Amino acid sequence: MAEAPRERTEEERERALEAVRELIRWIGDDPKREGLKDTPRRVVDAYLEYFQGYDECPETYLKRTFEQVGGYDEIVLLKDIPFHSHCEHHMAPIHGKAHVAYLPTDKVVGISKLARVVKAYARRLQVQERLTAEIADCIQKVLEPQGVAVVIEASHACMTARGVNTPGVSMTTSRMMGVFRTDQKAREELVKLIGLGA
């Protein structure tokens, strides 16, 4: 189970609301006008949702495992896990999908738990490289499989909607551990299963 959300005081909430009002004033609009009166509340509530990963311990999602898997000893792959995150440099959205695989030793985990791990880490201020590593490291630490692989494909609004303004581009990062790093055959099988380069 996830950790209980950290309690925020009314004083903390009011400071956050005022910070949003100040940003609205700073960009040249009036936080008191009709269309913006409720915006600070909506933004603060949205931020609690966007960044709820800070209130979660992803490792706890992997604690319940199953050992009776009928002798299964091949790759477990969950593909195309959608996620939303925010870049820590501009707090701009990151939208993407993650592919998470592991080669079990003697235990497996419910597949929904892999998606929960992805979402828990994604719901924090991130850079894609760290997000990829954190997911893989968490699975390796808790499940102790023969290998872990995480591949993330994502689009970054800090690049597509500002700055260089290059819509339609995506970034791919990967972390290969254990047999997926040391065994070329295992790695090739994984890439084929994910469908990369197809």
Side-chain angles (χ1 to χ4, degrees):
M1 297 297 291
E3 295 178 344
R6 179 177 71 83
E7 291 295 321
R8 275 79 173 182
T9 66
E10 280 304 311
E11 181 183 348
E12 288 175 315
R13 182 174 175 83
E14 186 49 46
R15 285 201 314 263
L17 292 167
E18 184 53 36
V20 177
R21 290 185 202 106
E22 184 59 31
L23 277 173
I24 292 170
R25 285 189 287 268
W26 185 75
I27 62 172
D29 216 320
D30 179 5
K32 293 180 182 174
R33 76 172 171 83
E34 183 181 7
L36 291 174
K37 278 194 289 191
D38 287 334
T39 297
R41 177 189 54 79
R42 290 186 189 108
V43 170
V44 168
D45 290 344
Y47 267 48
L48 286 175
E49 188 174 346
Y50 294 155
F51 301 113
Q52 66 186 3
Y54 288 114
D55 293 326
E56 297 179 57
C57 177
E59 290 180 13
T60 61
Y61 294 125
L62 302 175
K63 292 294 185 185
R64 182 166 184 226
T65 59
F66 305 94
E67 295 182 7
Q68 295 180 347
V69 291
Y72 186 81
D73 61 356
E74 298 293 336
I75 294 171
V76 175
L77 168 64
L78 191 60
K79 287 174 52 172
D80 301 323
I81 305 165
F83 73 88
H84 304 283
S85 190
H86 286 78
C87 147
E88 69 180 29
H89 302 133
H90 300 93
M91 297 180 77
I94 301 170
H95 300 285
K97 60 185 177 180
H99 314 293
V100 177
Y102 67 100
L103 189 60
T105 46
D106 57 356
K107 57 190 172 185
V108 297
V109 69
I111 58 171
S112 69
K113 304 305 187 268
L114 298 175
R116 290 183 187 278
V117 169
V118 170
K119 291 178 185 297
Y121 282 117
R123 290 176 177 152
R124 302 175 183 190
L125 292 173
Q126 281 289 7
V127 293
Q128 186 173 326
E129 297 90 338
R130 184 175 66 238
L131 174 61
T132 306
E134 286 177 335
I135 294 165
D137 292 348
C138 177
I139 294 167
Q140 180 65 44
K141 178 181 177 182
V142 179
L143 297 184
E144 300 178 322
Q146 298 177 59
V148 176
V150 176
V151 178
I152 292 181
E153 302 171 273
S155 175
H156 296 246
C158 61
M159 179 179 172
T160 62
R162 60 154 303 279
V164 72
N165 279 297
T166 312
V169 299
S170 65
M171 177 176 168
T172 302
T173 51
S174 67
R175 182 153 178 119
M176 305 287 171
M177 305 176 78
V179 295
F180 295 122
R181 179 177 280 277
T182 61
D183 185 329
Q184 184 68 25
K185 185 177 176 185
R187 190 180 184 117
E188 288 173 359
E189 181 183 357
L190 172 71
V191 168
K192 185 176 179 182
L193 286 171
I194 293 174
L196 296 175

